[in-house]
Amino acid sequence: MEKTIITTSPADCPENCGIIAKVKDGRIIKLEGNPEHGYTKGFLCRKGYRYLNRVYSSKRVLFPQKKVKSGWKRISWDEALDTIAEKIKFFQDTYGNGSIMHFQGASSWGATKQLVKRFFNLLGGVTTIKGSLCSGSARAAQEADIGVRLGNDPESILKSKVVIIWGRDPAKTSIHLLPLLKRTREQGARLILIDPIRTKTASICDKHIAPRPGSDGFLALGIAKELLEMSLVDADFIENHTAGYDTYLEILNSFSMEKIAEKCDVEPPVIKKLAHTYGGQKPCSILLGWGINKWEHSPEMIRLIDALGALAGNIGIAGGGVNHGFQTGRHFDPQVLAPEAVKYRREIAEPLFGQGIIESKNPPIKMIWINGINPVVSCPNSNKVIEALKGLDFVVVVDHFMTDTADFAHIFLPTTTFLEEEDIVVSWGHNWIGPVNKAIEPLGESRSDLQIVQELSKRLGLEKEMEGTPREWLKRIFQPMEKAGLSVERVMQSPVRCPIAPMVAFEDKKFLTPSGKFEFLKELYKERDNEFPFHLLTPLSSTWLLSLILEEEHPDIPQALINPNVARQKGIPDKSRVLLKSISGELIAEARVSNIAREDTIVISHGTWIKKGGGVNKLTQDLISTSGNMAAFYSTTVSIQALPPA
Ligand SMILES: Nc1nc2c(c(=O)[nH]1)N[C@H]1C(S)=C(S)[C@@H](COP(=O)(O)OP(=O)(O)OC[C@H]3O[C@@H](n4cnc5c(=O)[nH]c(N)nc54)[C@H](O)[C@@H]3O)O[C@H]1N2
Ligand SMILES: Nc1nc2c(c(=O)[nH]1)N[C@H]1C(S)=C(S)[C@@H](COP(=O)(O)OP(=O)(O)OC[C@H]3O[C@@H](n4cnc5c(=O)[nH]c(N)nc54)[C@H](O)[C@@H]3O)O[C@H]1N2
Ligand SMILES: [Mo]
């Protein structure tokens, strides 16, 4: 008998696709797109269709493991959880709660995943994490400007006359945006891409501008100058709905157009034309990406781009907006995290994870629980992350696979995939909420994150506070949505558009800032001196999602894209081996000579594992954004040299 299960990808991806799982005799035979999902509309990316290769991979770990001298030894759940409970009690009693750290990532956006945080809060609070590896700067920038990171519904671009895609590569990272972009272009809209790399997205755009990496703040200042020069500004919006305009003008007036052009390496006529396009035809939408968000000074860069929206009166209108992503927290009841139980609080910024552990004092961190993240691969400065993990007394990793991080665990706990779980996914990339219905029983002895902490809570006197079925917990977590008229039962039937999400953000022009107005930035950032000659951009890969790569699917060697002129100067033939060096480390890669990269830029995709010869974060510096505690992966510079064949 074949069954059809309605589910949703909880992956850390703006698409969160609606999925139909076809199940026969307890085994999933196929994943398909769910045509009833209003945004993803029945198609998945290759990674989605092929997700079953992960579920049924022979490399998936399905039993608890303990590290022994000769490697890993299978143990029972009882032994694993008894050991962990004893360690928790020991570290609490000996050094205090701060000696225990909980590092939860965002690899699954299932709502029940928060309950692991509840468990650690119920312990009285432990050392946790603040900031982000993904969107911290954009959140901080938009909180300062408009009060919250909230954009127009993606469908709003169908009303745009111009769409500027700024530091985002949807052809690779948001494939369901493509049909919308194509439709709006067919209706006559102009599409403009701003990206130092000539990506695949450039081929669907009318114009591609490749500024110096990290210089977009200046490009935005140049556009603003010309908007003012040509009176393409919305005086009413500036007068009635903004604050801090005079200070912003002072910043603007302290640079000449020529200086700006030199800084961002875009010719004045190109900047001026861009300003005419942006200010000349309303509405114009800016789609801000995550590339622009991974620099030390990203908060200022993003605020300078937001300012364009305010100047041209392109905020709060259909087809307008400076759109990044959506905050998902407002859908959930914060009390579920048991904040009242927290007596101890210490947070380490995610980008400084390694350093934070190494330098921790009073008490030093001794034990860590890691779930839903692979910090050795994903955090900047992998070498420091490894040093930090090696120095800990007790490491627990909850995952599906023996990742580079899991290699440092003392106990590995096998967890279920979403196809073995019941949950709800609220997306950060669009406004649809999707059900996660259980398609199959857990494979092997794998357990959900929730089940794992529930079992552990029994050993620590917290059973009552953690008990409940996933459905019962979902009803508690989802209280605010139930109050807004959307029940958990309804969500579990099929994907549904979020009832509180506006099609147009801030249509009433009442911003959630303390002044109620759009706030211009007050200060520019300090430019950094680069240590090495090339910017290292490490964007996401079209082939894989973050670090979710099966070992057998790894490339033999990472590929480094370099400009033909650099290749000539340095004597680096195509497909030859090169050595890259930064302040943090070294990496051997294969040079791919390509004019999609600027002469000052080297490009390597993020995600591959160190034990498979990859790991671009061995090169990246552990730098942090000026606000929002965001990892500044792209502020790293490198040198490159030819290597003899292996
Ligand atoms: N295939 C695939 N899809 C994914 C993911 C994946 O790993 N693989 N990951 C998902 C996740 S978690 C996220 S956050 C999203 C991110 O989605 P995107 O925003 O598309 O991702 P990035 O690759 O970080 O950056 C996009 C572009 O920004 C450019 N960029 C870098 N620095 C600058 C700059 O200074 N100025 C400008 N103008 N551009 C710059 C890069 O060259 C890159 O082409 O993708 C999601 N979708
Ligand atoms: N150099 C460089 N580094 C980057 C980036 C970049 O552009 N350049 N991009 C960054 C971005 S945008 C992001 S979002 C981060 C992501 O960094 P991570 O959060 O590390 O992302 P993932 O690779 O998705 O997942 C980590 C692990 O979680 C596991 N996992 C999946 N689902 C579950 C679950 O339900 N429970 C448990 N316990 N485990 C689960 C997976 O098997 C995987 O091993 O990486 C960042 N790192
Ligand atoms: Mo991300």
Side-chain angles (χ1 to χ4, degrees):
M1 254 283 285
E2 201 173 296
K3 272 193 310 181
T4 292
I5 305 292
I6 307 292
T7 185
T8 305
S9 163
D12 194 4
C13 172
E15 309 303 272
N16 298 119
C17 296
I19 297 179
I20 295 176
K22 296 271 164 79
V23 184
K24 200 171 173 197
D25 304 327
R27 193 178 165 93
I28 307 172
I29 49 172
K30 199 174 179 196
L31 298 180
E32 288 173 358
N34 180 0
E36 281 183 28
H37 192 289
Y39 182 69
T40 62
K41 296 197 167 144
F43 68 98
L44 308 177
C45 70
R46 200 164 153 269
K47 301 174 286 302
Y49 287 117
R50 291 165 53 92
Y51 189 79
L52 290 184
N53 291 350
R54 287 182 69 77
V55 177
Y56 293 117
S57 165
S58 60
K59 289 272 169 58
R60 186 170 155 199
V61 186
L62 295 173
F63 302 93
Q65 309 285 324
K66 173 169 133 184
K67 177 77 67 52
V68 291
K69 277 215 175 70
S70 56
W72 290 103
K73 179 176 170 246
R74 179 176 161 183
I75 55 171
S76 68
W77 271 104
D78 277 339
E79 182 182 344
L81 295 173
D82 288 346
T83 310
I84 296 169
E86 268 169 41
K87 292 280 183 188
I88 288 179
K89 278 188 258 178
F90 171 77
F91 289 120
Q92 271 186 313
D93 294 346
T94 316
Y95 303 100
N97 275 24
S99 64
I100 301 170
M101 179 165 186
H102 175 217
F103 189 178
Q104 172 160 344
S107 192
S108 168
W109 282 74
T112 65
K113 302 291 159 180
Q114 309 171 37
L115 295 165
V116 184
K117 294 186 181 164
R118 174 182 172 86
F119 167 77
F120 283 97
N121 285 349
L122 288 169
L123 283 178
V126 295
T127 302
T128 56
I129 279 293
K130 64 180 173 188
S132 167
L133 302 181
C134 181
S135 57
S137 293
R139 269 187 263 158
Q142 298 212 318
E143 270 163 32
D145 286 341
I146 53 178
V148 62
R149 182 178 66 139
L150 179 69
N152 287 0
D153 190 279
E155 298 228 344
S156 170
I157 57 171
L158 292 172
K159 303 222 166 87
S160 306
K161 297 225 172 69
V162 178
V163 180
I164 301 183
I165 305 167
W166 205 322
R168 185 167 181 177
D169 187 5
K172 175 184 77 183
T173 58
S174 319
I175 56 163
H176 299 91
L177 208 50
L178 295 185
L180 292 174
L181 287 167
K182 285 183 183 151
R183 247 170 80 197
T184 195
R185 191 173 181 214
E186 278 158 18
Q187 289 167 189
R190 264 179 81 74
L191 304 191
I192 296 167
L193 175 70
I194 304 179
D195 193 314
I197 307 174
R198 187 165 185 83
T199 60
K200 236 170 98 185
T201 299
S203 62
I204 59 153
C205 292
D206 299 283
K207 171 97 187 149
H208 170 222
I209 295 170
R212 191 190 312 285
S215 73
D216 303 66
F218 287 100
L219 179 57
L221 282 174
I223 298 172
K225 250 187 176 341
E226 183 68 7
L227 288 177
L228 281 158
E229 181 76 25
M230 302 301 289
S231 299
L232 290 171
V233 294
D234 184 333
D236 174 66
F237 187 95
I238 296 170
E239 172 73 23
N240 295 310
H241 305 300
T242 71
Y245 183 56
D246 291 344
T247 313
Y248 169 75
L249 276 189
E250 276 171 35
I251 296 174
L252 196 57
N253 291 334
S254 63
F255 294 96
S256 67
M257 188 58 110
E258 288 62 39
K259 189 77 202 161
I260 285 172
E262 188 191 310
K263 290 223 180 248
C264 64
D265 195 22
V266 181
E267 295 291 324
V270 177
I271 301 179
K272 288 181 183 176
K273 175 108 192 287
L274 186 54
H276 301 167
T277 309
Y278 183 68
Q281 295 135 288
K282 261 169 117 170
C284 171
S285 163
I286 294 178
L287 299 182
L288 267 183
W290 281 257
I292 193 103
N293 170 66
K294 290 171 179 166
W295 292 82
E296 265 182 315
H297 58 285
S298 284
E300 289 86 355
M301 284 207 282
I302 292 171
R303 295 195 68 185
L304 288 165
I305 298 172
D306 283 349
L308 298 178
L311 285 180
N314 258 322
I315 292 185
I317 59 173
V322 185
N323 309 287
H324 190 258
F326 303 95
Q327 292 307 84
T328 56
R330 66 208 160 104
H331 301 82
F332 307 129
D333 181 354
Q335 292 311 314
V336 165
L337 294 177
E340 71 290 345
V342 178
K343 307 284 178 293
Y344 177 88
R345 202 181 298 275
R346 174 168 65 182
E347 294 171 323
I348 290 179
E350 267 190 64
L352 308 180
F353 170 64
Q355 182 186 327
I357 291 183
I358 293 166
E359 292 176 357
S360 65
K361 290 195 187 72
N362 303 322
I365 294 164
K366 296 283 183 186
M367 160 180 177
I368 190 166
W369 176 290
I370 298 174
N371 62 302
I373 190 153
N374 181 2
V376 169
V377 172
S378 310
C379 287
N381 201 343
S382 301
N383 294 325
K384 217 187 264 178
V385 172
I386 290 172
E387 187 191 332
L389 291 177
K390 275 188 178 163
L392 294 176
D393 289 0
F394 192 59
V395 177
V396 179
V397 171
V398 189
D399 206 308
H400 307 133
F401 290 92
M402 276 299 164
T403 63
D404 281 335
T405 302
D407 285 345
F408 296 96
H410 297 97
I411 290 199
F412 178 97
L413 302 177
T415 193
T416 40
T417 66
F418 72 98
L419 292 159
E420 299 141 272
E421 295 174 355
E422 179 176 355
D423 221 320
I424 284 180
V425 177
V426 177
S427 179
W428 51 265
H430 56 70
N431 285 316
W432 284 73
I433 297 175
V436 177
N437 287 299
K438 191 168 166 182
I440 49 168
E441 288 306 314
L443 296 193
E445 288 184 3
S446 62
R447 292 178 175 175
S448 70
D449 288 278
L450 171 58
Q451 243 183 321
I452 295 172
V453 286
Q454 283 179 325
E455 289 298 323
L456 192 54
S457 71
K458 291 182 188 162
R459 292 161 166 85
L460 291 160
L462 297 168
E463 183 176 3
K464 278 262 154 311
E465 290 88 340
M466 288 301 299
E467 72 186 4
T469 62
R471 182 64 67 99
E472 284 161 358
W473 276 113
L474 285 170
K475 286 196 77 72
R476 282 182 65 181
I477 294 170
F478 222 54
Q479 271 284 312
M481 284 294 98
E482 293 223 326
K483 280 193 188 132
L486 179 60
S487 69
V488 168
E489 286 72 21
R490 166 64 194 85
V491 176
M492 298 319 288
Q493 284 167 15
S494 64
V496 58
R497 194 177 180 282
C498 171
I500 59 167
M503 281 307 284
V504 178
F506 301 108
E507 204 162 13
D508 57 5
K509 315 282 194 288
K510 291 199 173 65
F511 298 101
L512 297 174
T513 52
S515 64
K517 302 200 167 184
F518 177 97
E519 293 277 349
F520 285 101
L521 96 164
K522 297 187 175 62
E523 223 178 316
L524 218 52
Y525 56 91
K526 197 172 155 287
E527 288 174 87
R528 70 182 278 113
D529 297 325
N530 293 331
E531 293 86 359
F532 290 101
F534 299 97
H535 292 285
L536 175 69
L537 294 188
T538 54
L540 301 167
S541 157
S542 55
T543 321
W544 51 78
L545 181 71
L546 300 164
S547 74
L548 308 188
I549 318 173
L550 292 172
E551 289 192 44
E552 61 273 23
E553 289 180 351
H554 265 77
D556 293 337
I557 180 170
Q559 294 192 339
L561 298 186
I562 58 170
N563 183 276
N565 292 337
V566 176
R568 215 171 300 121
Q569 273 165 27
K570 300 246 167 206
I572 298 174
D574 190 32
K575 299 195 182 160
S576 65
R577 291 191 329 138
V578 285
L579 175 67
L580 294 125
K581 286 189 189 170
S582 75
I583 286 197
S584 303
E586 300 184 354
L587 185 75
I588 294 175
E590 179 187 77
R592 298 311 301 261
V593 179
S594 158
N595 56 15
I596 75 160
R598 286 170 51 100
E599 282 184 32
D600 56 4
T601 305
I602 291 169
V603 185
I604 305 180
S605 292
H606 159 69
T608 54
W609 296 9
I610 295 175
K611 62 179 153 195
K612 302 303 291 181
V616 78
N617 280 322
K618 288 202 292 183
L619 289 171
T620 55
Q621 281 173 259
D622 39 356
L623 301 169
I624 192 162
S625 59
T626 51
S627 61
N629 294 304
M630 171 68 196
F633 295 105
Y634 299 174
S635 291
T636 298
T637 51
V638 289
S639 67
I640 188 167
Q641 69 193 74
L643 282 181

